[in-house]
Amino acid sequence: MIRAGDSIENPVTGERIVFHKTSAETNGEAVVIECFVKPNGFVAKAHIHPSQDERFEVLKGSLMFKLDGKELPAGPGDRILVPAGSKHQFWNAGDEEAHFVCEVRPALKFEQLIETMFSLAADGKTNQNVMPNPLRLAVIARETFDTVQLPFPPVWMQRMGLVVGSWLGRLVGYSATYVPATPGTPEEAATA
């Protein structure tokens, strides 16, 4: 379970996140994270949060957001609102580490999704597009469908595919969360 002060890293995308406020602390109202993105770093894929707003405040560096097809450059002091239902992605557009704070409202399963996807990437269980195998992805995506969706294919088609894919994924032993194979600290190893 994520707690305030916890930090996770995705070595494939170049993102490191520090959690400042968690779902548990805000009674499910929000998650507040501080994110550091290495040069050439990026969020894994264009996606949609159907029921969540995201607010970004850039503290350092240069980011490029693509929001509903429009590119929006952002630097220190800039604030970007990504309303629920908007297709978006971002990447580091500069030569130095980008640093921003992001608030996600409501929290839903945002923490679970981020922790699972970052852990899979850290353990080498994703492809070059930062996605796990299709059956594992189906189990994760079905569990977090109210948190994140793909912009294509249509939602009804995604739902149908996830019913079958997640059933097969669970049949072969995948779950919606992932525990890292090699915990990062001795304390984590003792509780793994």
Side-chain angles (χ1 to χ4, degrees):
M1 174 193 279
I2 294 286
R3 289 180 224 118
D6 286 353
S7 175
I8 58 175
E9 189 167 344
N10 186 324
V12 179
T13 63
E15 299 169 280
R16 182 172 61 87
I17 292 176
V18 178
F19 289 85
H20 286 281
K21 290 184 182 175
T22 66
S23 177
E25 294 173 310
T26 64
N27 206 25
E29 290 183 27
V31 175
V32 179
I33 59 172
E34 186 174 10
C35 193
F36 302 86
V37 184
K38 293 178 181 177
N40 300 313
F42 56 95
V43 71
K45 288 276 189 197
H47 58 280
I48 294 170
H49 299 291
S51 306
Q52 296 167 298
D53 292 331
E54 279 185 292
R55 289 175 175 79
F56 296 84
E57 180 179 359
V58 181
L59 303 176
K60 179 183 167 195
S62 176
L63 290 170
M64 181 65 73
F65 287 84
K66 192 166 188 177
L67 178 58
D68 287 330
K70 291 177 71 175
E71 289 192 354
L72 302 169
D78 288 336
R79 294 173 187 220
I80 303 287
L81 170 64
V82 177
S86 300
K87 176 183 171 184
H88 64 285
Q89 66 188 116
F90 65 82
W91 59 91
N92 185 330
D95 296 329
E96 66 177 334
E97 182 175 73
H99 178 196
F100 62 89
V101 173
C102 178
E103 180 178 270
V104 180
R105 286 186 172 269
L108 303 177
K109 294 185 178 177
F110 180 81
E111 293 162 13
Q112 174 186 326
L113 177 65
I114 294 296
E115 183 177 28
T116 294
M117 297 302 286
F118 276 41
S119 295
L120 286 166
D123 280 354
K125 296 187 180 294
T126 60
N127 62 23
Q128 73 258 16
N129 295 320
V130 201
M131 293 292 125
N133 78 58
L135 294 180
R136 175 176 265 152
L137 181 59
V139 174
I140 295 165
R142 185 160 188 216
E143 177 75 16
T144 59
F145 201 67
D146 62 338
T147 300
V148 69
Q149 298 169 359
L150 297 174
F152 183 82
V155 170
W156 68 267
M157 195 177 290
Q158 290 180 55
R159 283 187 198 277
M160 284 179 41
L162 292 177
V163 167
V164 174
S166 64
W167 178 80
L168 290 170
R170 289 191 183 278
L171 193 63
V172 298
Y174 295 128
S175 71
T177 57
Y178 176 74
V179 178
T182 310
T185 64
E187 294 83 23
E188 289 172 328
T191 61

